């Protein structure tokens, strides 16, 4: 209602609706060169726990992604951790109510920004964008291959062939050795997470300040 006052805000348009409506309104502006300033709504983020629970939406700074689109969304924020998006509320427009896994997001979309490195390293942003872009391209290739494989299976099913006789058995369940099955799809992300800054947010550092002393 505040921004609907045309006398005070003659050039402001209000976009109301769900995640998909907001996504279209934002991408309409971001799919061309330019600068866009967005203001998050702090009261709702605070009321919802300030991102303390990574298993539920944090209602912080909204970023929408469309994995079927070639556009690549990247968010740098110093309040992102390697275990929790905290202040960035990432929504996939296909599943807008689903909370996305932090490792899945860190691989292609989120960067826990380090202020000192961002200031002192000239290639800081470039290197991160390059790294995330390569991972995003790889994810798209894998997804395309997976979809092609599924379509191949569906076509063979629809052709009324004897799948049990003609379809090759790739891996028999009994042949899997659980002790040797130690593949970690997030190994690279875990390696990055293990060397991140240990600096604490102000509210956390104040809780442990009583345990610190100057020599």
């Amino acid at each position: 209602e505040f921004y609907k006052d045309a006398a005070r805000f003659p050039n402001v348009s209000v976009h109301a609706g769900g995640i998909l409506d907001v996504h279209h309104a934002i991408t309409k502006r971001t799919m061309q060169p330019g600068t866009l300033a967005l203001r998050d709504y702090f009261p709702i983020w605070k009321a919802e726990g300030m991102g303390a629970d990574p298993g539920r939406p944090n209602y912080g700074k909204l970023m929408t992604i469309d994995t079927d689109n070639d556009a690549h969304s990247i968010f740098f924020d110093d309040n992102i951790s390697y275990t929790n998006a905290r202040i960035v509320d990432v929504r996939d427009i296909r599943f807008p109510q689903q909370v996305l896994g932090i490792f899945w997001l860190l691989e292609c979309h989120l960067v826990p920004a380090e202020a000192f490195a961002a200031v002192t390293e000239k290639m800081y942003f470039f290197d991160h964008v390059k790294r995330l872009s390569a991972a995003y391209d790889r994810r798209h290739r894998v997804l395309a291959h997976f979809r092609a494989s599924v379509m191949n299976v569906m076509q063979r099913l629809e052709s009324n062939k004897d799948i049990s006789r003609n379809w090759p058995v790739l891996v028999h369940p009994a042949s899997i050795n659980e002790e040797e099955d130690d593949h970690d799809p997030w190994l690279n992300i875990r390696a990055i997470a293990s060397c991140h800054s240990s600096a604490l947010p102000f509210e956390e550092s104040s809780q442990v300040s009583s345990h610190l002393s100057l020599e």
Side-chain angles (χ1 to χ4, degrees):
E1 295 297 329
F2 179 77
Y3 289 103
K4 289 183 179 180
D5 187 343
R8 297 182 60 186
F9 308 102
N11 299 317
V12 172
S13 59
V14 178
H15 297 274
I19 296 295
L20 189 59
D21 298 302
V22 175
H23 171 77
H24 289 322
I26 293 178
T27 53
K28 182 180 179 180
R29 293 164 172 77
T30 57
M31 291 302 292
Q32 55 187 350
T35 301
L36 178 65
L38 299 176
R39 179 183 179 184
D40 61 319
Y41 189 61
F42 177 81
I44 185 65
W45 180 65
K46 182 178 181 181
E48 293 294 332
M50 302 175 73
D53 183 359
R56 58 190 299 270
N58 59 54
Y59 297 94
K61 303 170 183 177
L62 178 65
M63 182 175 79
T64 59
I65 59 176
D66 180 3
T67 52
D68 288 329
N69 194 304
D70 290 335
H72 185 191
S73 299
I74 299 175
F75 204 117
F76 288 78
D77 198 292
D78 62 353
N79 206 5
I80 298 172
S81 76
Y82 286 91
T83 56
N84 189 350
R86 285 182 176 172
I87 202 171
V88 183
D89 193 354
V90 187
R91 304 294 185 99
D92 188 322
I93 63 171
R94 301 174 305 163
F95 319 103
Q97 302 306 318
Q98 179 177 334
V99 177
L100 304 176
I102 184 62
F103 283 165
W104 189 86
L105 292 171
L106 287 172
E107 186 178 26
C108 297
H109 298 286
L110 299 184
V111 180
E114 296 283 354
F116 181 78
V119 173
T120 58
E121 299 176 13
K122 293 183 179 180
M123 302 298 288
Y124 177 80
F125 291 99
F126 176 85
D127 288 342
H128 277 295
V129 170
K130 182 180 179 180
R131 172 179 61 82
L132 269 62
S133 295
Y136 191 69
D137 289 341
R138 182 170 60 252
R139 179 176 289 176
H140 267 250
R141 291 195 302 270
V142 171
L143 181 59
H145 179 73
F146 173 76
R147 286 176 173 173
S149 300
V150 171
M151 289 301 299
N152 187 22
V153 172
M154 295 302 295
Q155 289 172 2
R156 296 197 64 173
L157 288 172
E158 293 175 358
S159 67
N160 295 321
K161 292 183 178 180
D162 185 354
I163 300 300
S164 62
R165 180 169 56 85
N166 296 328
W167 195 256
V169 177
L170 299 180
V171 179
H172 192 280
S175 67
I176 298 178
N177 187 335
E178 294 184 358
E179 294 182 356
E180 296 179 357
D181 185 21
D182 58 354
H183 173 64
D184 184 356
W186 309 114
L187 182 61
N188 291 336
I189 296 298
R190 295 183 195 279
I192 296 174
S194 67
C195 62
H196 74 281
S197 171
S198 59
L200 298 174
F202 290 116
E203 63 273 13
E204 296 180 20
S205 60
S206 63
Q207 294 175 5
V208 299
S209 60
S210 59
H211 300 285
L212 302 177
S213 61
L214 296 176
E215 295 295 329

